[in-house]
């Protein structure tokens, strides 16, 4: 099922998106993690805040509220 821009994202959409990105990265040989570049848990909140600040225009167009916690979870999963 294709998601319409007006649909609210569901947990399974996030899981499907994560699997799709992981598959794409595997196919192109991308295996680096943020930790490979020296980032650690202590950097997560700073990265989340900077990301929110620099990407506010993107967060404004998604059909849900993007919070620092959401961004921090994404960053953590990339460590």
């Amino acid at each position: 099922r294709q998601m319409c821009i007006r649909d609210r994202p569901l947990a399974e959409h996030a899981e499907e998106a994560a699997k799709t990105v992981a598959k794409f990265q595997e196919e192109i040989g991308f295996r680096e993690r943020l930790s490979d570049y020296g980032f650690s848990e202590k950097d997560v909140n700073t990265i989340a805040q900077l990301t929110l600040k620099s990407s506010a225009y993107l967060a404004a167009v998604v059909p849900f509220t993007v919070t620092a916690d959401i961004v921090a979870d994404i960053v953590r999963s990339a460590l």
Side-chain angles (χ1 to χ4, degrees), residues 19-31:
K19 287 178 186 175
T20 301
V21 170
K23 181 181 176 196
F24 172 73
Q25 289 174 327
E26 177 78 22
E27 287 173 356
I28 64 170
F30 184 83
R31 291 176 181 80

Side-chain angles (χ1 to χ4, degrees), residues 8-77:
R8 303 283 307 165
L10 303 172
E12 64 259 23
H13 295 147
E15 293 165 13
E16 184 178 336
K19 287 178 186 175
T20 301
V21 170
K23 181 181 176 196
F24 172 73
Q25 289 174 327
E26 177 78 22
E27 287 173 356
I28 64 170
F30 184 83
R31 291 176 181 80
E32 288 88 359
R33 310 292 298 168
L34 289 175
S35 57
D36 295 334
Y37 297 95
F39 293 100
S40 69
E41 178 65 33
K42 69 179 177 53
D43 301 306
V44 170
N45 289 332
T46 301
I47 295 169
Q49 292 301 321
L50 290 171
T51 300
L52 278 177
K53 189 182 279 189
S54 65
S55 303
Y57 65 97
L58 293 172
V61 299
V62 296
F64 57 92
T65 302
V66 178
T67 66
D69 289 338
I70 291 171
V71 177
D73 286 345
I74 293 167
V75 173
R76 249 183 228 99
S77 72

